[in-house]
Amino acid sequence: MQRLHPRSPYEKLGGYVHLPRLIDKARLHRKGLLNGYNYKTVGFDKHLLTFLKIDAKKARFLLFLKEVGGEGRKDIRTYFDLIEFDEGRLK
């Protein structure tokens, strides 16, 4: 099986180096194909997310919210709210 690699850290998106690589790593992670690469919590990923003032935990929460059909809901603000919504106790 061919090993999948994220793009070079030299590639730019919106003027930012490493951003395309971070996006590739996120996509590989979602597919279970990251294969040992560090992701989000260390190294350049962490520094770029901090520099861009992106909270990776909040991004993950919003992704889960979208997956359960609650995208755009302002009343779902915690993981407990998300569970309640997903299990039908919050309408």
Side-chain angles (χ1 to χ4, degrees):
M1 184 169 131
Q2 180 182 2
R3 182 172 179 191
L4 301 173
H5 297 284
R7 284 176 271 187
S8 166
Y10 288 108
E11 288 195 38
K12 293 181 182 179
L13 178 64
Y16 295 101
V17 295
H18 191 74
L19 184 56
R21 183 177 179 85
L22 177 62
I23 292 168
D24 286 352
K25 287 165 73 174
R27 289 177 177 157
L28 289 169
H29 176 73
R30 282 210 31 118
K31 293 177 181 178
L33 301 172
L34 196 53
N35 293 328
Y37 282 101
N38 291 325
Y39 173 59
K40 282 194 311 192
T41 59
V42 296
F44 290 110
D45 294 351
K46 181 178 180 180
H47 294 301
L48 181 59
L49 291 169
T50 300
F51 176 77
L52 295 173
K53 298 180 181 170
I54 296 174
D55 182 345
K57 289 175 187 151
K58 183 175 182 180
R60 184 178 172 139
F61 176 82
L62 294 174
L63 175 67
F64 288 151
L65 183 60
K66 182 179 180 180
E67 288 178 344
V68 299
E71 185 175 27
R73 296 272 305 251
K74 302 296 182 198
D75 59 327
I76 302 172
R77 293 176 284 154
T78 67
Y79 278 98
F80 285 6
D81 293 340
L82 181 63
I83 292 167
E84 294 293 288
F85 178 76
D86 187 37
E87 295 178 353
R89 288 183 288 275
L90 181 64
K91 301 288 181 193

